[in-house]
Amino acid sequence: MYTFLKAAWRNLRQTGSVVESSPALTARMTDIIQFQKPLSIVELGAGTGVMTRHLLGRMSPASTLASFEINPELYRILSAVKDRRASHHNADVLRLPAYIPDESADYILSGIPLANLDPGTKSQLLERCHKALKPGGFFIQFQYSLKDIAAIRQRFPAVCYGFTLLNIPPAFIYYAQK
């Protein structure tokens, strides 16, 4: 937690929060995932690996997880999460196509602070996520407001959302299906 707080202090715009995601948020984000099947899961803005560990604890042995974290300090902690099903990348999520082929991901979970991105970057990110998802796949994003629901609906017409009070701050979760 200290490393995350320190990273937030240095660049809150990039981390989007001063604390890691709560267990309630990670559980709520993954409610719709059919973990019993072999899946290809992508995690954007993995931080110190809170969601990563949650996903690995529920994934089937045949599933894979690709986690992305741009902050080198947070990535150092994330990369200590060892599992043969996981690959960790210290890379900008806009480089997603270099790592994830088109229409290959079943789920993309994102903790990227969309509200902190300029409109062009946000649009590129959402387009690249849309391309990476298989037909019927889900882009799952959490945010602290409903500010970006219109931007998400431009790429994903089927969007619903949930909410969890048990996070600091409380968070909305978008479930956007391709």
Side-chain angles (χ1 to χ4, degrees), residues 6-131:
K6 190 168 72 172
W9 178 260
R10 288 187 179 142
N11 192 347
L12 183 59
R13 188 168 175 79
Q14 185 182 72
T15 61
S17 178
V18 295
V19 295
E20 298 162 315
S21 299
S22 72
L25 177 58
T26 58
R28 188 74 193 262
M29 286 182 73
T30 59
D31 277 351
I32 67 164
I33 297 177
Q34 299 173 345
F35 285 107
Q36 70 280 7
K37 296 172 28 178
L39 300 170
S40 173
I41 301 173
V42 177
E43 179 187 14
L44 308 179
T48 59
V50 170
M51 176 68 75
T52 308
R53 287 186 288 280
H54 176 80
L55 290 166
L56 289 169
R58 299 202 52 208
M59 287 171 26
S60 77
S63 293
T64 61
L65 172 63
S67 296
F68 291 81
E69 177 52 54
I70 196 169
N71 182 295
E73 291 178 66
L74 300 180
Y75 175 75
R76 182 178 49 79
I77 294 170
L78 172 68
S79 65
V81 177
K82 303 293 185 196
D83 190 295
R84 66 169 180 72
R85 301 168 295 171
S87 61
H88 308 301
H89 307 282
N90 185 207
D92 187 326
V93 296
L94 291 181
R95 296 194 57 229
L96 192 64
Y99 299 91
I100 309 297
D102 289 354
E103 296 193 348
S104 65
D106 295 291
Y107 297 92
I108 297 176
L109 291 90
S110 175
I112 301 292
L114 292 181
N116 294 349
L117 302 178
D118 65 79
T121 302
K122 189 181 310 184
S123 180
Q124 283 181 328
L125 172 63
L126 293 172
E127 178 59 31
R128 289 176 185 166
C129 288
H130 188 271
K131 279 185 166 185

